[in-house]
Amino acid sequence: PIVLALSPRKGWEVQAINDRKVDPEFDTPFFRKNRPKPTYDRELHLLYMDMLATSAIYTNDVFGLIAAELNGVTLNDPDAAKKRIIEIYNKIPAEQLKALLAAANERVIKGKYTTDLAGSGNIHFTNSLGGDFVADARGVTWTKSGGLWFGDGRINGKQVSFKLTSAASLNQKQSETGTTGTDAKAKVDGSGNVGPGR
């Protein structure tokens, strides 16, 4: 579910609407029986939305547990950060992960869906109990109670930024100072100075 929630998407991967228009003159038992089966599968469409919504809710919950463990911790480099996150994830009991997945799934399957097929190029739908979901190049984003709750750098509605320091960033800091002014002749002049930071 985590990979599904974070994977970029462009457009629906299942047929999202039955767009066949049947002339009422040909909507008879004979023609219905001999008509090719439509490509729209309502059950598959619902399962697809269940999958995306469940994945977003579950991933938010798991990332929330990891973020709580990393609160206030500054990590030295990207490799150390990945290693620490995997260590925290591996310490979460399998039964707790299964319970989070079951709770996320239970929440969405009890809700009713509204599919937005306005042609934005993204996947967009609303679940009456879960909230609003969009799947696009950012992965799945989940909006709840009018605020972005998960995705695009948010976990539980908060912008999350894991602190990361590296030797390169410490050595390349610069400070910038300068002044600008306008004289009575309506011309702009200025000066500036860039020097090594402290």
Side-chain angles (χ1 to χ4, degrees):
I2 293 172
V3 172
L4 290 171
L6 301 178
S7 298
R9 286 185 168 72
K10 185 176 181 181
W12 290 87
E13 295 164 302
V14 297
Q15 184 71 26
I17 189 170
N18 183 3
D19 56 359
R20 173 185 288 166
K21 302 285 187 268
V22 178
D23 188 320
E25 184 180 342
F26 298 106
D27 195 16
T28 65
F30 171 79
F31 283 110
R32 273 186 230 126
K33 182 179 177 189
N34 294 295
R35 190 175 295 135
K37 191 173 172 114
T39 56
Y40 175 71
D41 183 340
R42 183 178 185 277
E43 189 64 28
L44 181 62
H45 184 196
L46 291 171
L47 287 172
Y48 184 76
M49 291 186 291
D50 282 347
M51 173 199 69
L52 291 178
T54 299
S55 297
I57 294 170
Y58 172 78
T59 303
N60 178 73
D61 292 344
V62 172
F63 283 8
L65 294 173
I66 294 170
E69 288 288 321
L70 289 173
N71 191 21
V73 174
T74 301
L75 301 167
N76 292 329
D77 62 59
D79 291 332
K82 287 178 193 173
K83 184 178 177 187
R84 181 72 179 119
I85 288 168
I86 290 170
E87 285 172 2
I88 294 169
Y89 176 76
N90 286 334
K91 286 182 183 176
I92 302 171
E95 291 307 313
Q96 185 177 3
L97 293 173
K98 287 177 186 175
L100 289 173
L101 184 58
N105 190 49
E106 186 73 19
R107 181 175 183 173
V108 298
I109 62 172
K110 288 183 175 178
K112 303 248 188 274
Y113 285 106
T114 304
T115 306
D116 178 4
L117 298 171
S120 65
N122 300 328
I123 299 164
H124 184 200
F125 59 90
T126 303
N127 180 285
S128 60
L129 297 178
D132 191 72
F133 298 88
V134 174
D136 56 21
R138 302 169 295 176
V140 182
T141 56
W142 171 28
T143 302
K144 184 170 102 165
S145 303
L148 186 57
W149 194 252
F150 168 77
D152 203 21
R154 293 190 183 270
I155 300 171
N156 291 328
K158 296 177 187 166
Q159 186 72 35
V160 175
S161 169
F162 296 120
K163 295 176 189 135
L164 189 67
T165 62
S166 69
S169 67
L170 292 174
N171 292 330
Q172 294 177 1
K173 285 185 180 174
Q174 292 183 331
S175 64
E176 197 172 321
T177 62
T179 60
T180 60
T182 305
D183 67 13
K185 296 178 186 171
K187 79 175 185 186
V188 178
D189 59 6
S191 66
N193 179 34
V194 177
R198 296 177 189 153

